[in-house]
Amino acid sequence: MEPEHRAVLRKFRVHLSDQLLVSDSIVPFLFQEGVLTEAQVEQVEGQLTNRQKNLKLLDILPNRGPRAFGAFLEALQDFSWIRDQLLLELQSTPSAGTPGQNTPGTGSTGENIPAEHTGTGSPDVPAVPPCPNGDDCRLPDSVLQNVPSDRELSRLASRLGAEWEMVLLDLGVSAEALYRCRSDHSLNTQAAALAGLVLWRRSEGRKATLGKLLRSLEAAGVHPSVLEDAVMC
């Protein structure tokens, strides 16, 4: 691994240890790509909490050769906002030639990102129907039918506060899964909420829409503007 890659992982170590869910997709992908050995996978998965798993993985990666960092970025498919942070940090280092570096308007694999997910959409906002509970909601039906992006879930998690568990229960996430999210991120409510939202989206697939999120927010007594801010800011 290049020195600048080691430096980025070291700088973001605490942030990564709080935000990632390595067991779901990251560790399996790194094993598939030959970055981690079977013994190293067992070392990571043998840790008691999600945070400890993250830290163990971050201890192992710097010593796994020149492909390790690029493969790690590829593994962050469900955490694209974190991947973007790492790439932005590398861009500030002139000597950092990092695979997967992108131009504005494209994702990590070069795909076009819809304008509503980049924060650079058109200022012309379509006419918006009222929310079911009578509150004004500025999100059009066409947007409410979308599956929320990683960035939108992250923004929503940062705004939910104590109501996050009620929202996720209404979305159908089990009490057992919520307990795991809470215990894995006992010192970070935002990370716990994000873990639960990502779990919900993964289990529901295309059925995990912004419209469903809106209804569950309302059921938990959260104003629709919270979701609006997460999507439109």
Side-chain angles (χ1 to χ4, degrees):
M1 185 176 290
E2 298 294 334
E4 57 266 26
H5 298 164
R6 293 173 182 265
V8 168
L9 291 182
R10 183 166 58 249
K11 180 174 181 178
F12 285 87
R13 181 179 175 86
V14 173
H15 181 62
L16 291 169
S17 68
D18 285 336
Q19 296 288 321
L20 296 181
L21 301 170
V22 297
S23 294
D24 292 339
S25 58
I26 296 175
V27 166
F29 180 83
L30 293 175
F31 177 67
Q32 169 191 300
E33 295 300 305
V35 174
L36 297 180
T37 66
E38 185 173 352
Q40 288 165 339
V41 170
E42 291 176 357
Q43 287 178 30
V44 173
E45 295 298 340
Q47 304 303 308
L48 295 178
T49 68
N50 187 69
R51 188 171 191 274
Q52 289 172 336
K53 291 178 182 180
N54 292 338
L55 291 172
K56 175 58 70 173
L57 177 62
L58 293 172
D59 287 339
I60 293 172
L61 277 179
N63 299 315
R64 295 305 299 161
R67 292 183 54 251
F69 189 80
F72 179 61
L73 291 181
E74 289 186 58
L76 297 177
Q77 294 181 11
D78 290 335
F79 304 90
S80 62
W81 71 96
I82 296 178
R83 179 178 54 205
D84 291 344
Q85 288 178 329
L86 299 180
L87 288 171
L88 283 173
E89 179 67 21
L90 283 171
Q91 286 174 358
S92 67
T93 306
S95 62
T98 305
Q101 200 162 323
N102 309 302
T103 57
T106 61
S108 63
T109 57
E111 73 273 14
N112 290 329
I113 298 177
E116 65 268 20
H117 288 176
T118 62
T120 57
S122 167
D124 298 326
V125 179
V128 179
C131 291
N133 67 356
D135 290 321
D136 290 334
C137 174
R138 294 192 295 168
L139 294 177
D141 284 338
S142 59
V143 172
L144 292 175
Q145 293 170 7
N146 293 337
V147 175
S149 67
D150 296 330
R151 193 178 298 275
E152 288 164 350
L153 290 184
S154 180
R155 288 171 174 166
L156 178 60
S158 70
R159 292 163 169 78
L160 274 181
E163 291 82 8
W164 71 273
E165 292 190 51
M166 293 178 61
V167 172
L168 287 166
L169 283 172
D170 191 78
L171 286 169
V173 178
S174 69
E176 180 183 358
L178 285 182
Y179 174 79
R180 289 199 301 269
C181 293
R182 189 167 56 245
S183 60
D184 286 348
H185 304 279
S186 58
L187 300 179
N188 190 328
T189 300
Q190 178 184 348
L194 178 58
L197 289 168
V198 170
L199 179 65
W200 163 71
R201 186 185 63 181
R202 184 178 295 116
S203 64
E204 290 289 306
R206 294 183 180 275
K207 295 180 181 179
T209 64
L210 289 167
K212 282 191 175 181
L213 263 179
L214 177 61
R215 290 191 290 272
S216 291
L217 287 169
E218 291 171 339
V222 179
H223 195 273
S225 62
V226 172
L227 182 62
E228 176 190 317
D229 290 343
V231 173
M232 301 181 67
C233 68

